[in-house]
Amino acid sequence: MLHVRFFWVADGYSDTLELAYALTAHKAQGSDFQTVILIIPRKAQTLSRELLYTGLTRFKGKLILLVEKDSQPLLDFRRPEASDTMRRTTRMFKLLIGQDAGEIGIEGPFRPEGLIHRTSDGIPVRSKSEVIVYDVLTALGLSVRYEEPLIAKSGDLKDFRLPDFTVRFQGRTWYWEHLGMLDKASYKEDWQLKQKWYRDNGFWDRVLTSEDHPGGLGGILYADEVRDTAKRRIFGKS
């Protein structure tokens, strides 16, 4: 429904006013204006870092921000994960594994099209169990990155692995692997090879794991087991 409001303008001021038009950030793309009043809602499905950047860069002289409730949306969109571009199924922002693919259980090159599940804050992952692991760890206040490249101690950029999760807390780093198919011989062999790589490169004492239990479609994961492991190994709580 279109709401129209009429404003009374006192005599003597009408000559100093100019017409202004409300545009979406999409419509304003490619244009600029002397003064921009940008309205930022707290939640909107279409809002992203890219859209916010477009809106913020349309002004030439003055920018006025009308942010709903508080500045939290601006803080949220500082995070790379809020980018629509980063969520696209593209190889532009990820390393290709190439010959190393078989050693971590991925056939062929790194496949972004396999990232079909989403965590509670929109991070694309490969399995429902990984969604649970990620959400449990972030709920504990940990910094969690998904499939962040880990380079060998030699510094050879071609010798790396992708831990399922890289977890950081108070200046320390752990590498979390979720083992979802240990009942398959090939998967188990790949995991043994990856364990050896972790040991050879001095990372093994910082590797944490979770496992699916038999049952259901593809296995069952208990969130409390993930939480208990994190508390014991990362926070040092029994």
Side-chain angles (χ1 to χ4, degrees):
M1 180 181 294
L2 178 63
H3 296 274
V4 180
R5 295 185 180 182
F6 297 92
F7 295 91
W8 174 77
V9 179
D11 293 339
Y13 287 92
S14 58
D15 293 338
T16 65
L17 299 179
E18 296 182 4
L19 288 176
Y21 301 91
L23 297 176
T24 65
H26 283 110
K27 286 287 187 180
Q29 190 170 4
S31 303
D32 53 37
F33 310 91
Q34 186 62 34
T35 300
V36 170
I37 301 175
L38 181 62
I39 301 172
I40 303 176
R42 192 166 183 83
K43 290 184 179 181
Q45 290 184 345
T46 58
L47 194 56
S48 66
R49 280 176 58 134
E50 291 80 7
L51 191 66
L52 184 58
Y53 174 81
T54 298
L56 292 174
T57 54
R58 296 308 95 199
F59 78 100
K60 293 189 295 184
K62 180 184 293 185
L63 172 66
I64 300 172
L65 295 180
L66 301 180
V67 185
E68 181 183 1
K69 193 173 182 180
D70 55 36
S71 61
Q72 190 59 47
L74 297 177
L75 298 176
D76 291 341
F77 284 106
R78 293 177 59 186
R79 302 174 57 193
E81 294 84 0
S83 166
D84 273 347
T85 304
M86 287 293 289
R87 297 181 187 179
R88 295 175 185 169
T89 52
T90 173
R91 291 189 175 94
M92 292 176 63
F93 306 103
K94 294 287 186 179
L95 292 171
L96 296 180
I97 297 175
Q99 297 300 317
D100 292 325
E103 295 186 18
I104 59 172
I106 301 176
E107 296 297 327
F110 179 81
R111 297 186 183 277
E113 61 269 23
L115 303 172
I116 60 175
H117 301 280
R118 294 291 185 273
T119 64
S120 60
D121 58 357
I123 303 302
V125 296
R126 301 182 185 280
S127 72
K128 293 179 181 178
S129 292
E130 289 180 335
V131 171
I132 295 174
V133 173
Y134 179 92
D135 285 348
V136 169
L137 296 179
T138 54
L140 290 171
L142 300 169
S143 171
V144 184
R145 299 294 299 272
Y146 184 66
E147 290 191 348
E148 184 175 79
L150 177 61
I151 308 300
K153 64 180 180 181
S154 65
D156 182 359
L157 296 180
K158 295 182 179 180
D159 184 11
F160 66 92
R161 297 296 181 272
L162 299 180
D164 288 336
F165 303 98
T166 300
V167 184
R168 295 183 174 87
F169 179 70
Q170 293 185 347
R172 298 192 64 191
T173 303
W174 291 264
Y175 308 101
W176 193 294
E177 297 283 2
H178 179 70
L179 310 175
M181 296 183 289
L182 284 178
D183 56 329
K184 295 185 177 181
S186 60
Y187 184 97
K188 187 174 183 178
E189 183 179 352
D190 290 336
W191 169 233
Q192 290 171 345
L193 289 172
K194 198 172 186 182
Q195 288 183 69
K196 183 178 184 304
W197 187 91
Y198 278 131
R199 289 190 176 96
D200 291 346
N201 287 277
F203 298 121
W204 182 245
D205 62 330
R206 287 177 281 161
V207 174
L208 288 71
T209 63
S210 53
E211 297 182 19
D212 279 351
H213 298 280
L217 297 176
I220 300 172
L221 177 64
Y222 301 115
D224 57 339
E225 292 183 353
V226 176
R227 189 180 301 109
D228 290 344
T229 299
K231 287 182 176 180
R232 185 176 67 255
R233 294 288 303 278
I234 297 176
F235 296 108
K237 297 180 179 179
S238 57

